[in-house]
């Protein structure tokens, strides 16, 4: 978990024994019962799992698991699994790979297992690298990278761009059209539509800063663009103090103006009273 918090992995896999299948999220269900429980990126996970299974010597020929793949919760629900945690908290697409029907294979079987799974592992790594959309997010006023957020219309999931370079990589199923949006607190969001081919597409975003009013409206709307709580809090505080510093300056100026005006009125009133008393005195 600490490792995943330090490095933004795009994809990962864990290898297990006891079955021959590529398992994908969700592993658990909201009601605790066994049934197909799809995650927002179900299509992408099915694509990745199928890539592994179809590259395997005989995984895709399974009679127990159609196509050699399965939704974790449909097989048997478990909670606290690594692949669900990775997807939710680390932005990492993980598969659980059951690579042997034998739970405890003998050591002399390892070379054979390697030969059966080698091409699957290579193709899975290649598919993570070569599919989807990637690029960087920049600020138009300064040209600096922005640690913004990437969302896809119709998919309730957010990918965070890197803090140092504003880079992102968003896994998606090839051969489809997608509406990609880049957002960043304090900047105007931008959207573009892409037709994704068999290889990854590069899409960079240049975001324009918002005005003070727009920043205020964004802050009061309660928008949480899918980033981590610490990042969102940091950006929220920055926007809070940016807006309120300006407000405080205006309030202080108005307060000074009010006090000066009141003092002038007081002095004028005193002068009039003094002049009235002077006119009543005998010559």
């Amino acid at each position: 978990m600490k490792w995943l918090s330090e490095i933004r992995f795009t994809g990962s896999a864990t290898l297990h024994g006891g079955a021959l299948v590529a398992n994908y999220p969700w592993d658990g269900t909201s009601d605790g019962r066994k049934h197909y429980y799809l995650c927002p990126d179900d299509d992408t996970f099915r694509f990745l799992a199928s890539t592994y299974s179809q590259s395997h010597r005989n995984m895709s020929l399974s009679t127990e698991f159609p196509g050699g793949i399965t939704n974790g919760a449909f097989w048997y629900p478990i909670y606290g699994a690594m692949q669900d945690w990775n997807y939710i908290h680390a932005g990492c697409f993980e598969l659980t790979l059951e690579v042997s029907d034998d739970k405890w294979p003998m050591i002399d079987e390892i070379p054979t297992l390697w030969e059966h799974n080698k091409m699957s592992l290579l193709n899975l790594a290649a598919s993570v690298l070569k599919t989807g959309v990637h690029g960087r997010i920049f600020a138009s006023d300064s040209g600096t990278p922005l640690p913004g957020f990437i969302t896809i219309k119709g998919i309730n999931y957010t990918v965070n761009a890197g803090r140092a370079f504003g880079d992102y990589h968003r896994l998606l199923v090839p051969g489809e059209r997608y509406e990609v949006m880049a957002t960043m607190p304090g900047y105007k969001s931008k959207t573009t539509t892409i037709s994704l081919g068999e290889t990854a597409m590069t899409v960079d975003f240049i975001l324009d800063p918002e005005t003070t009013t727009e920043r205020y409206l964004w802050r009061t709307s309660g928008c949480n663009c899918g980033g981590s709580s610490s990042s969102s809090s940091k950006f929220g505080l920055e926007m809070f103090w940016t807006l309120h510093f300006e407000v405080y300056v205006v309030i202080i100026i108005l307060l000074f103006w009010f006090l000066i005006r009141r003092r002038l009125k007081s002095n004028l009133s005193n002068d009039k009273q003094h002049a009235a008393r002077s006119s009543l005195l005998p010559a």
Side-chain angles (χ1 to χ4, degrees):
M1 292 166 70
K2 184 174 183 293
W3 196 31
L4 285 159
S5 69
E6 295 171 349
I7 301 176
R8 295 181 308 107
F9 292 102
T10 299
S12 60
T14 57
L15 292 95
H16 300 246
L20 197 60
V21 65
N23 177 75
Y24 55 90
W26 297 119
D27 264 339
T29 62
S30 59
D31 57 13
R33 292 185 295 179
K34 173 187 171 181
H35 58 86
Y36 197 110
Y37 202 62
L38 58 84
C39 71
D41 280 288
D42 186 72
D43 289 342
T44 301
F45 274 110
R46 289 178 60 86
F47 167 76
L48 294 173
S50 295
T51 296
Y52 193 93
S53 176
Q54 291 169 12
S55 303
H56 192 274
R57 181 182 178 90
N58 52 9
M59 186 180 287
S60 63
L61 304 178
S62 171
T63 56
E64 181 181 2
F65 305 102
I69 66 174
T70 186
N71 174 262
F74 184 71
W75 186 12
Y76 62 92
I78 59 172
Y79 301 89
M82 188 172 174
Q83 68 178 13
D84 285 5
W85 188 91
N86 281 8
Y87 180 62
I88 296 169
H89 297 287
C92 179
F93 287 51
E94 175 159 313
L95 299 179
T96 301
L97 304 174
E98 303 283 352
V99 298
S100 169
D101 282 319
D102 189 349
K103 183 68 175 177
W104 308 109
M106 300 297 291
I107 192 169
D108 58 2
E109 296 179 50
I110 300 300
T112 300
L113 289 175
W114 167 242
E115 287 301 320
H116 288 182
N117 288 276
K118 177 174 63 175
M119 191 55 63
S120 294
L121 289 166
L122 292 172
N123 285 342
L124 178 62
S127 67
V128 169
L129 177 66
K130 295 181 178 181
T131 60
V133 57
H134 54 215
R136 299 177 68 187
I137 306 174
F138 299 94
S140 64
D141 54 344
S142 62
T144 56
L146 296 174
F149 311 104
I150 296 295
T151 55
I152 306 297
K153 185 178 180 180
I155 302 178
N156 185 26
Y157 189 76
T158 300
V159 170
N160 296 358
R163 299 197 64 82
F165 304 106
D167 58 312
Y168 71 91
H169 186 89
R170 206 322 179 175
L171 289 176
L172 293 166
V173 179
E176 302 290 341
R177 285 175 59 85
Y178 298 97
E179 190 173 308
V180 187
M181 175 182 289
T183 59
M184 173 73 186
Y187 291 81
K188 299 176 181 178
S189 62
K190 282 192 176 178
T191 302
T192 186
T193 300
I194 62 171
S195 294
L196 197 59
E198 294 302 315
T199 58
M201 178 177 292
T202 300
V203 178
D204 294 330
F205 289 91
I206 300 176
L207 305 185
D208 299 321
E210 292 179 337
T211 64
T212 300
T213 302
E214 288 170 329
R215 290 201 304 271
Y216 174 76
L217 290 174
W218 180 91
R219 187 180 64 82
T220 55
S221 69
C223 171
N224 180 3
C225 297
S228 66
S229 59
S230 59
S231 298
S232 299
S233 299
K234 183 176 184 294
F235 293 133
L237 285 172
E238 289 175 353
M239 292 180 62
F240 178 87
W241 288 116
T242 299
L243 172 67
H244 281 69
F245 176 77
E246 298 168 354
V247 173
Y248 292 151
V249 170
V250 172
I251 291 174
I252 291 171
I253 292 173
L254 291 173
L255 183 60
F256 272 112
W257 176 79
F258 175 77
L259 292 174
I260 292 172
R261 185 178 178 187
R262 185 175 180 181
R263 182 65 180 270
L264 289 174
K265 285 185 175 180
S266 177
N267 291 341
L268 183 60
S269 177
N270 290 337
D271 291 342
K272 288 181 178 180
Q273 291 177 9
H274 180 73
R277 285 197 299 270
S278 297
S279 63
L280 294 174
L281 293 174

